[in-house]
Amino acid sequence: MKPLTTRDLVHCALFAAIVAVLGLVPPIPLGFLPVPITAQLMGVMLAGAVLGARLGGLSLLLFLLLVAAGLPLLSGGRGGFGVFLGPTGGFAIGFALAAFTVGWLAERLPRRGSLPSLFVACALGGIGADYALGIPWLSMVSGLPLEKAALGSLTFIPGDLIKAGVAAFAAATVKRAYPLAAAH
Amino acid sequence: MIELRNVRHRYGEREVLRGIDLTLAERRVAIVGSNGSGKSTLARLLNGLLLPDEGRVLVDGLDTRSDARAVRRKVGFVFQDPDVQIVYPTVAEDIAFGLKNLRLPRDEIARRVDAVMARFGLTEHRDWPAHRLSGGQKQLLAIASVLVLDPAYVVFDEPTTLLDLRNRRRIAGVIRDLPQTALLISHDLDLVAEAERVIVLDEGRVVADDAPAAAIAAYVARMG
Amino acid sequence: MLGLYLHRDSPVHAFPVGWKLAALAVAATGLFFVSNPVAIGAALVGALGLFALARLPLGAVLGQIRPLLPVLVLLFAVQAAFAGWETGAATAGRLALLVLLASLVTLTTRASDTIDALERGLGWLRPLGVNAGKVSLMLALTIRLIPVLLDLVQEIRMAQRARGVERSALALLVPLLVKTMRMADHLSDALEARGYDPR
C-alpha cells in the first residue's frame, strides 16, 4: 500500500474536521423541504467522493476516534463511547464504511467524476452502507424486529437523497475547481 | 547566500517565472510585485517547497533539488495566514512540532520552546488553544514556531497583509530585530522600505533591483 | 479543548485512563451474559454509586440518559409484550447501564488523555501497518482545524446573507470546500517547511 503523504494526512484531517463542523452548525433548512436536514452524512459522502475510498474511510475513522475520545462532535452534540453502544451507534460507525464505499464506487462507476456518477456513488454508498450497519445495529440494541427498524429508517431516505444530491454537486464542482484533489 | 540561476517555473500553460538570476547576500531583501507577478512562487522555491522546472536554486551552495532536507533546516518559512501554518491545537505544542521533527531530546525541546515563548510574550498562553489568540498573536506564534528551529534564513511571505496597523508595526519590529537574514515578500511599502535591497517582479521577470527608494518608485510607477 | 469532561477531584477521575477503557470493555462484554433483572438492577445501583463517587451532579447523569429514555421505554414495552417483563427490564436495564458506564468514562476523562491512551494503544497495531505518529498528527490537525472551519462557515454565511442569498447547503459547501482545499495545500507546505517528513 502506498504510504500516506503529508498532503494525504492533511486531507484526512480536513474532512474529519468538515464532518465535525457540519454536525456543529445548526441544521440547514432547504427551501423546498419542510424538515431541516442535519448535514453530517453529507460530509461523509463528500469525504468519500472527493478523497476516494482509502483516504475518505480513513478520515471518518479519525472522526470516530475523536468522538470515542469524548468530543461532542456527532450532530446534537453527542460524543463518548456511550454513543456507539446506544441504538444509533451503528449509523455512527457506519460513517466510516459509508465514506469508504462512496469513494470505492466513485472510483469505479462509469463516467467517473461526472455529476450522475457521483450522485449514484453518494446515494448507494453513503445511504446504503450507513444503513447496512445502522439498521441491524438498531434492531439488535433495541430488540426491534429488523423489518420494523428498517421501516422506521425509511422516513429518512428522502432527506438523505437530497444530501446525496448536494454532496455530489459540491464534489463535482470541487473536482473541477481543484483537479489536484481528484488525482488520488 | 542564496542564488537563483536562470530559474523558470510554470503552472500548466502559464509561465510564472521567466528566467530569474539573482544573488541574495544582503541581510534584508524585499521582493515586491503585483498579484500574479510570481513572487509567492519565488518564495516557495527558496526553501525547496517548490522545485524549479528549469535552473537551480542554491542556499549556501546546497541545491534545493538534491539537498532538500538540509535546505529546509537552513531556511524557515512564515506564511501569510497563520491559520494555515499553526498545526497543533495549543501554543506550546505547535512550537514544539518542528523540534520534534528534528528528533531532539525531550528536555532540549522543552528548553527551546520556553525560551522562544518568553521572547515573543507567549508564555502566559502556553496551553491556550491557538484559535483563541488574536490575529497578531497568531502571527507571532507562527513566527516563533519557525524561529525556534534556528534557521539561518527566514522567508516571510506577506507576513503583515492580514494584520491591523498596530500588529503590522509589531511584526515589523520583530523582523527588524532578527539576527537572521530575512527575505521579505510583501505589498506593505512601509515594511519594504526598511530593507537594504528591493527587487520588483512583474510577469515573472525582475524589472527593478535597487535601493528601497528607487525600487519602490519604479514599482509605484508601474502600478500606476 | 472542547469536550464533555467535567473536572472534579475524585478517585474515579484519578483512575488511569487505560484501565477505565479496559474496564468499560470488560463490562460491556460481560453484560451480554447477564439476563437476571435483579443482578442488572444491582449493577445499575453500583453504577450510580460510581457517579456519586466521581462527585458528578445528578444533572449530568440525567443528561446522559434523557436522549435514551424513549428508546428505553419502547424497548421495555416491546420486550415485555413478547417475552415477559423480566426480559424487558433486563434488556432496557442493560442498555441503560452500558450507556451510563460509557458516559462515566467520558465525563471523568479529559479528551486529550483519552486520545493519548488511544495513540499508545495504536502503537500495538504497528505490525498491521498503522503508524501511530501519523494518526496522532492527524488527530491534532483535526482538533486544530475544527474551530478554524467554524469561523469560516460563519464568514461564508455572513457573506451570503449580505448578498441576499437564501441560506442553502450548496451555497455553503462549495465555497467552504474550495477554500479549505487551498488551505490544506498551504498546511501541507507548512508541515514540510517545518521539517515534517511523512516517512
Side-chain angles (χ1 to χ4, degrees):
Chain A
M1 209 162 43
K2 204 161 49 95
L4 299 174
T5 64
T6 307
R7 187 190 288 217
D8 292 342
L9 301 179
V10 173
H11 278 157
C12 286
L14 174 64
F15 277 83
I18 287 178
V19 174
V21 166
L22 290 178
L24 292 172
V25 297
I28 304 166
L30 287 169
F32 47 95
L33 207 81
V35 242
I37 62 169
T38 59
Q40 209 146 33
L41 187 61
M42 205 151 65
V44 174
M45 296 167 178
L46 271 173
V50 177
L51 296 184
R54 183 163 90 117
L55 296 183
L58 196 59
S59 86
L60 264 297
L61 280 181
L62 208 57
F63 172 79
L64 293 177
L65 214 54
L66 288 172
V67 171
L71 298 185
L73 300 178
L74 276 173
S75 55
R78 293 167 305 140
F81 287 100
V83 174
F84 300 117
L85 300 172
T88 56
F91 289 103
I93 294 176
F95 279 179
L97 183 66
F100 178 88
T101 314
V102 171
W104 192 87
L105 287 171
E107 286 159 4
R108 278 164 187 80
L109 287 174
R111 301 218 296 130
R112 183 177 170 176
S114 70
L115 187 58
S117 152
L118 283 169
F119 175 73
V120 174
C122 286
L124 272 183
I127 307 174
D130 196 33
Y131 282 43
L133 234 101
I135 292 171
W137 191 291
L138 175 64
S139 147
M140 201 177 76
V141 174
S142 68
L144 276 175
L146 197 59
E147 324 84 70
K148 287 236 168 78
L151 217 61
S153 307
L154 277 184
T155 48
F156 294 98
I157 295 255
D160 285 344
L161 279 173
I162 292 171
K163 287 178 218 175
V166 174
F169 191 89
T173 312
V174 170
K175 284 187 173 206
R176 245 181 302 128
Y178 226 88
L180 280 179
H184 286 292
Chain B
M1 188 166 69
I2 298 184
E3 300 158 87
L4 292 96
R5 293 283 161 259
N6 189 29
V7 166
R8 291 172 180 277
H9 198 77
R10 53 171 66 241
Y11 293 117
E13 292 288 283
R14 207 163 64 87
E15 191 164 30
V16 282
L17 293 177
R18 311 164 180 232
I20 305 276
D21 271 290
L22 285 171
T23 301
L24 309 171
E26 292 79 3
R27 267 190 72 242
R28 295 288 180 268
V29 180
I31 300 171
V32 296
S34 57
N35 298 328
S37 60
K39 57 190 191 313
S40 275
T41 305
L42 184 64
R44 280 165 174 70
L45 289 167
L46 298 179
N47 79 337
L49 278 175
L50 276 179
L51 295 175
D53 289 337
E54 274 177 53
R56 303 170 73 193
V57 179
L58 303 170
V59 177
D60 292 341
L62 296 166
D63 193 318
T64 55
R65 194 179 299 280
S66 48
D67 300 300
R69 191 184 285 250
V71 168
R72 293 248 169 96
R73 287 193 65 166
K74 275 184 180 287
V75 185
F77 199 106
V78 176
F79 290 76
Q80 173 181 354
D81 181 358
D83 268 334
V84 306
Q85 173 166 347
I86 300 169
V87 173
Y88 268 79
T90 63
V91 171
E93 283 177 301
D94 187 64
I95 297 176
F97 172 71
L99 296 170
K100 282 194 202 148
N101 291 333
L102 295 176
R103 300 186 204 295
L104 295 179
R106 200 180 280 258
D107 50 334
E108 189 184 345
I109 293 182
R111 196 172 45 71
R112 283 169 72 167
V113 170
D114 286 344
V116 84
M117 279 194 303
R119 178 171 159 201
F120 289 102
L122 292 166
T123 306
E124 57 179 313
H125 305 307
R126 88 170 278 135
D127 293 320
W128 269 41
H131 72 271
R132 281 180 54 206
L133 299 176
S134 71
Q137 285 171 324
K138 277 188 202 169
Q139 192 56 288
L140 281 177
L141 168 58
I143 294 175
S145 57
V146 168
L147 290 182
V148 76
L149 298 171
D150 222 356
Y153 303 85
V154 186
V155 179
F156 291 90
D157 187 6
E158 307 197 31
T160 58
T161 307
L162 301 173
L163 300 179
D164 62 20
L165 185 61
R166 208 180 98 228
N167 281 308
R168 263 179 209 213
R169 294 203 168 134
R170 198 161 159 200
I171 298 296
V174 167
I175 296 174
R176 197 179 302 130
D177 296 339
L178 279 189
Q180 280 96 339
T181 297
L183 294 119
L184 203 61
I185 317 290
S186 185
H187 287 295
D188 182 343
L189 295 183
D190 292 336
L191 192 60
V192 169
E194 293 184 19
E196 293 161 39
R197 173 181 173 192
V198 176
I199 295 163
V200 182
L201 224 55
D202 196 18
E203 301 197 339
R205 287 196 180 86
V206 174
V207 292
D209 184 351
D210 214 326
I216 290 174
Y219 173 58
V220 172
R222 279 188 100 84
M223 287 296 103
Chain C
M1 194 163 67
L2 70 169
L4 301 165
Y5 174 73
L6 282 177
H7 185 71
R8 295 287 185 281
D9 241 338
S10 92
V12 183
H13 286 72
F15 202 56
V17 47
W19 287 105
K20 275 191 230 181
L21 296 176
L24 179 62
V26 169
T29 319
L31 262 179
F32 275 101
F33 302 103
V34 183
S35 51
N36 178 346
V38 180
I40 291 176
L44 267 172
V45 174
L48 292 177
L50 286 175
F51 270 82
L53 187 65
R55 302 200 194 162
L56 294 171
L58 195 63
V61 186
L62 291 178
Q64 295 300 317
I65 280 294
R66 196 174 299 127
L68 206 64
L69 262 182
V71 181
L72 288 176
V73 171
L74 181 77
L75 193 54
F76 175 76
V78 171
Q79 296 287 327
F82 287 119
W85 74 268
E86 287 101 337
T87 317
T91 324
R94 200 188 288 144
L95 179 60
L97 185 56
L98 272 178
V99 171
L100 274 180
L101 288 176
S103 312
L104 182 68
V105 174
T106 303
L107 292 171
T108 61
T109 319
R110 277 193 186 82
S112 53
D113 291 343
T114 313
I115 290 170
D116 286 347
L118 290 172
E119 280 168 16
R120 265 178 277 131
L122 289 169
W124 293 91
L125 296 179
R126 180 163 270 284
L128 295 176
V130 176
N131 182 331
K134 283 185 180 175
V135 176
S136 120
L137 177 61
M138 285 191 283
L139 289 171
L141 276 172
T142 310
I143 294 170
R144 160 79 192 123
L145 281 170
I146 290 171
V148 177
L149 295 195
L150 270 176
D151 285 350
L152 205 55
V153 167
Q154 301 304 337
E155 204 178 290
I156 294 171
R157 282 194 157 178
M158 209 124 54
Q160 278 161 354
R161 224 166 299 152
R163 283 163 50 204
V165 176
E166 188 61 33
R167 286 198 298 162
S168 86
L170 258 184
L172 173 70
L173 274 188
V174 173
L176 180 70
L177 280 173
V178 170
K179 192 149 185 180
T180 53
M181 291 301 274
R182 182 160 315 130
M183 231 174 98
D185 280 351
H186 287 160
L187 200 52
S188 21
D189 277 353
L191 282 164
E192 297 198 342
R194 282 161 75 189
Y196 181 70
D197 186 347
R199 271 170 299 168

